[in-house]
């Protein structure tokens, strides 16, 4: 190791230690900076309430159990921590292997093949072993030990992941009870037609069908309304600050800003509601035409142009959801294709319903752009890699020698630049690759992040590892290559490639120490938050809580908005650490000690941060973990092929062929996992679904968490959105609290209530009744055991006090039939609820209870 490299290590280590000490001193004094989850009410949890001393936080966060992290910090967090722990276990095994590899390599005799290996650290690598030497057998044994250890640990991790993943998939979460259906044929683009189709398959398990609408005009109006609301809130904030009524310039001159924006907002709301009414009338007319066509066995009419070929279908049971995802729904490829639904808040509505041909084209374009970028990225990565070779660089570029002679610290500063520059270059990658991923038309944030992870990992492996290793190896011997490029390149790679361990150890040290201390101290976060306080808008509480972003790169966020942990970038960094570990645990075993330290530092830092800082609401349920596991196996194969090549360059005529069985074993292990493990990890077994559904039915689970969750926000009428609690109206398929006491008074607690877009579960035709009524609607609540169809209102109730003849009532606003007559004993007086616009009969036995949710 050169003096510059020693000073580089001392600098990074000392700076990281200084930052860590500062963090220990101030962490309890600035809770808004270092305990955001406690400071922000929505993020508060039991773990964030725990207090530790200046240094006791280190064992404290390490002792927090995985179950606690799972419940309060999310499954993504636990899966990330487990991957870091897996890396640390493998690193410790590498440290054990290093016990005999280091003395084996360092005791090698010198000959023409290793005469140029003079650096003390390089003498501890495989590059110091002469060609054809029997010491290569030690490296071969180490490769087998590391591979079998990795296979055993990864196999056990799969069982853990499958168990925890199934727990997550059993939760009452919208994406667990809904599927996204694309490629809907024109004849099925109505709720009635889609309802008939899925009801044929799943009978009474359909909860809700939300057809996606093409409503660009409504989206623009929604944006306009939100802009007016922001302006209004800002002007009100001005008025509260100085007491003077603000003014604004309009076509009529200067007017009162608050009154003006209020009037503008009212007009905007009226316009939105009027257009929504018109659209709903158009869609309702189409539904009626579909119903008439079905009754007359006539062809289904063409749907309106603003109805897209996609929908979100919600189910009442996990069993139905799981089955729907695995069935082939249509004979035509890409028609009625069911996919997992993303979280409602993560849906990219602009990508919903994109034609599959366009998706294929954009996916190819994104892949091509990624490949071109990867090739061009080689130029800056190669240049940065050469910066670590200060002496060689000064020999090639003579002006650097002049600077070095005049400035004594130049060599040290140049050596410090390389790892920092490489890290900053990799930090720029997600911004560029995210733009490529957006071209692919993903319907949700989860799918985009999975694509981004694959691209980032590809870049890390190709650019940061291979380009850095090979370019750094060849740069030192560029003169020799010019004389004999073919003959010399083999010997140079055999000796210099192991010697690149110093570069990667420096990278890992910087990433783990400086990265850990930066993450903990949050110095840049504090600076950005301070700048955010100075940037407009900042008059109101809502404005001060918003992020301000410039050119999609620099984001200034307040301390009250810590954001989500970027697991995509973190996992791609970890994959790079795994490939360095697998390769250099054999070529340069000293690196294992650095790798173990790096994995430990990252685990310590991020355990603390997920407990006290980051918002876990964007938890995907460990969706990236199977991809990470797959890439770990890929890194094993890459390392084995690399080691095979180094053995061949070292003329290990026996050792290099013996690496082939190891490569075959790893491929067979990968194929074995792909047969069932990946599938089981992503699918909840039907038996488990059935057990969960039974428990939910016994507990009378309500569906508020999914009802209306996938309705387009621009189609929500504004009076419903604002006055639900006040009026007790139905908004986005939810019954508000004001109605619940009335229903309980009648002997029922209605749990399953949908909006007007919901399919009924039990439908009878008018011919099944003794009387016929136009536009008859039906409903079924499995938890309340209530059936209603205008003739048999409330004949099955829990509790049931008696049965009698049904009555009828007409609710023109809801388009439903309601009725009730007393049965068994005198009934209560009927009542009017103006907010619902319906007539309800409150009888002791619940006879003729209102059909609580309107149906198609």
């Amino acid at each position: 190791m050169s003096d510059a490299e020693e000073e580089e290590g001392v600098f990074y280590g000392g700076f990281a230690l200084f930052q860590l000490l500062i963090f220990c001193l101030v962490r309890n004094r600035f809770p808004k900076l270092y305990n955001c989850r406690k400071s922000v009410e929505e993020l508060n949890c039991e773990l964030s309430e725990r207090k530790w001393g200046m240094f006791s936080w280190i064992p404290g966060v390490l002792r927090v159990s995985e179950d606690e992290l799972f419940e309060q910090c999310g499954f993504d967090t636990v899966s990330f921590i487990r991957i870091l722990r897996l890396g640390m276990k493998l690193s410790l095994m590498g440290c054990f292997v290093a016990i005999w590899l280091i003395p084996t390599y360092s005791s090698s005799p010198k000959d023409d093949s290793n005469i140029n290996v003079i650096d003390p650290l390089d003498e501890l690598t495989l590059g110091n072993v002469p060609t054809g030497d029997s010491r290569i057998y030690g490296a071969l044994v180490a490769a087998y030990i590391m591979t079998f250890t990795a296979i055993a640990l990864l196999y056990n991790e799969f069982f853990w992941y499958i168990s925890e993943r199934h727990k997550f998939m059993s939760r009452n979460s919208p994406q667990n009870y809904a599927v996204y259906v694309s490629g809907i044929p024109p004849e099925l683009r109505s709720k009635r037609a889609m309802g008939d189709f899925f009801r044929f398959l799943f009978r009474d398990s359909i909860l809700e069908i939300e057809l996606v609408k093409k409503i660009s005009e409504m989206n623009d109006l929604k944006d306009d309304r939100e802009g007016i609301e922001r302006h209004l809130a800002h002007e009100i904030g001005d008025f509260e600050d100085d007491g003077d009524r603000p003014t604004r310039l309009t076509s009529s001159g200067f007017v009162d800003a608050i009154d003006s924006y209020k009037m503008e907002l009212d007009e905007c709301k009226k316009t939105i509601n009027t257009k929504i009414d018109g659209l709903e009338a158009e869609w309702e007319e189409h539904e009626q035409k579909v119903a008439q066509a079905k009754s007359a066995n006539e062809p289904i009419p063409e749907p309106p142009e603003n109805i897209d070929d996609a929908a979100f279908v919600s189910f009442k049971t996990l069993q139905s959801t799981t089955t729907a995802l695995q069935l082939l729904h249509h004979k035509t490829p890409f028609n009625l294709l069911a996919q997992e639904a993303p979280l409602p808040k993560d849906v990219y509505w602009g990508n919903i319903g994109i034609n599959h041909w366009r998706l294929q084209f954009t996916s190819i374009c994104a892949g091509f752009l990624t490949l071109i970028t990867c090739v061009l990225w080689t130029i800056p990565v190669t240049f940065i890699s050469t910066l670590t070779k200060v002496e060689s660089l000064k020999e090639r570029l003579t002006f650097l020698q002049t600077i070095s002679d005049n400035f004594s610290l130049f060599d040290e500063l140049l050596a410090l630049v390389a790892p920092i520059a490489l890290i900053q270059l990799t930090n720029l990658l997600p911004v560029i690759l995210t733009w490529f991923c957006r071209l692919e038309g993903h319907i949700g944030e989860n799918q985009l992040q999975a694509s981004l992870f694959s691209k980032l990992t590809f870049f890390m492996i190709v650019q940061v590892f291979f380009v850095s290793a090979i370019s750094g190896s060849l740069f030192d011997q560029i003169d020799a290559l010019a004389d004999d490029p073919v003959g010399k390149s083999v010997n140079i790679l055999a000796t210099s490639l192991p010697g690149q361990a110093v570069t990667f150890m420096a990278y890992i040290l910087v990433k783990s120490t400086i990265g850990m201390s930066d993450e903990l101290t949050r110095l840049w976060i504090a600076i950005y938050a301070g700048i955010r306080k100075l940037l407009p808008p900042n008059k109101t509480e809502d404005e001060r809580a918003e992020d301000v972003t410039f050119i999609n790169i620099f984001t200034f966020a307040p301390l009250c908005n810590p954001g989500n942990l970027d697991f995509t970038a973190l996992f791609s960094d970890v994959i790079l650490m795994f490939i360095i570990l697998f390769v250099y645990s054999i070529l340069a075993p000293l690196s294992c000690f650095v790798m173990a330290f790096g994995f430990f530092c990252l685990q310590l830092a991020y355990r603390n941060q997920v407990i006290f800082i980051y918002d876990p609401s964007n938890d995907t349920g460990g969706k990236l973990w199977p991809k990470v596991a797959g890439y770990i196996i890929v890194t094993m194969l890459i390392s084995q092929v690399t080691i095979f090549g180094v053995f061949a360059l070292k003329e290990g005529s026996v050792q290099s062929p013996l690496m082939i069985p190891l490569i075959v074993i790893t491929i067979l292990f990968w194929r074995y996992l792909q047969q069932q493990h990946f599938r089981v990890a992503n699918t909840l077994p039907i038996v488990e679904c059935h057990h969960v559904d039974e428990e939910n039915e016994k507990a009378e689970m309500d569906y508020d968490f999914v009802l209306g969750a996938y309705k387009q926000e621009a189609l929500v009428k504004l009076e419903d959105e604002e006055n639900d609690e006040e009026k007790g109206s139905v908004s986005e398929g939810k019954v508000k609290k004001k109605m619940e006491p009335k229903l309980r008074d009648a002997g029922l607690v209605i749990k399953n209530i949908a909006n007007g877009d919901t399919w009924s579960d039990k439908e009878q035709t008018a011919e099944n009744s003794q009387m016929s009524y136009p536009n008859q609607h039906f409903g079924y609540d499995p938890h309340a055991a209530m059936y209603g169809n205008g003739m048999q209102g409330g004949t099955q109730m829990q509790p049931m006090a008696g049965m009698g003849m049904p009555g009828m009532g007409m609710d023109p606003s809801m388009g439903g039939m309601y009725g009730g007559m007393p049965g068994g004993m005198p009934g209560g007086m009927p009542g009017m609820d103006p907010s619902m616009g319906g007539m309800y009969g409150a009888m002791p036995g619940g006879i003729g209870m209102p059909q609580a949710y309107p149906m198609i």
Side-chain angles (χ1 to χ4, degrees), residues 38 48 93 152 321 379 489 540 674 729 801:
K38 183 179 179 180
S48 65
M93 177 56 71
T321 309
I379 299 172
S489 60
T540 66
Q674 285 188 320
S729 61

Side-chain angles (χ1 to χ4, degrees), residues 63 89 141 185 192 208 258 314 402 449 526 536 631 633 654 753 763 775 838:
R63 283 198 298 263
K89 289 178 180 178
V141 173
R192 179 171 294 274
E208 187 174 48
I258 295 177
S314 303
T402 305
Q449 292 299 321
Y631 273 106
I633 299 175
V654 177
I753 302 179
E763 183 173 7
N775 300 324

Side-chain angles (χ1 to χ4, degrees), residues 139-213:
L140 177 67
V141 173
Y144 271 83
I145 291 176
M146 291 297 296
T147 297
F148 282 113
T149 302
I151 288 175
L153 292 175
L154 198 56
Y155 186 71
N156 289 332
E157 287 296 303
F158 250 101
F159 283 100
W160 167 83
Y161 175 77
I162 290 172
S163 174
E164 297 302 317
R165 174 67 181 164
H166 288 175
K167 289 180 184 178
F168 183 88
M169 296 175 72
S170 301
R171 288 180 169 182
N172 296 342
S173 184
Q175 74 271 26
N176 290 340
Y177 284 83
V179 299
Y180 168 69
V181 182
S182 61
I184 301 175
E187 65 272 13
L188 292 180
R189 293 177 196 173
S190 68
K191 291 186 176 180
R192 179 171 294 274
M194 283 286 285
D196 286 342
F197 178 84
F198 279 99
R199 195 155 51 96
F200 173 76
L201 298 173
F202 302 104
R203 298 186 179 274
D204 60 355
S205 291
I206 308 301
L207 180 65
E208 187 174 48
I209 295 175
E210 286 288 357
L211 289 171
V212 179
K213 313 300 195 308

Side-chain angles (χ1 to χ4, degrees), residues 521-561:
T521 56
R522 307 189 77 217
L523 177 61
W524 288 108
I525 301 298
I527 293 173
Y528 287 168
I531 296 174
R532 174 62 188 92
K533 285 185 177 181
L534 304 176
L535 297 175
N538 57 10
K539 285 291 184 182
T540 66
E541 191 69 28
D542 289 340
E543 288 179 344
R544 289 189 289 270
E546 293 178 353
D547 295 352
V548 175
T549 303
F550 293 101
I551 61 174
N552 291 326
I553 297 178
F554 302 103
T555 299
F556 300 95
L559 293 179
C560 64
N561 186 14

Side-chain angles (χ1 to χ4, degrees), residues 347-409:
V347 176
Y348 293 147
W349 291 104
N351 292 338
I352 297 295
I354 294 179
N355 182 277
H356 80 274
W357 286 112
R358 179 183 167 188
L359 290 176
Q360 300 295 324
F361 175 74
T362 54
S363 179
I364 293 173
C365 289
F368 177 75
L369 289 173
T370 302
L371 184 61
I372 293 298
T373 306
C374 185
V375 173
L376 296 177
W377 208 261
T378 304
I379 299 172
V381 171
T382 302
F383 173 73
I384 292 172
S385 300
T386 61
L387 296 180
T388 59
K389 307 297 181 180
V390 178
E391 295 301 326
S392 299
L393 202 60
K394 289 192 295 184
E395 291 177 5
R396 307 291 180 272
L397 304 175
T398 55
F399 71 92
L400 293 179
Q401 182 63 55
T402 305
I403 298 175
S404 178
D405 294 339
N406 297 327
F407 185 47
S408 59
L409 297 178

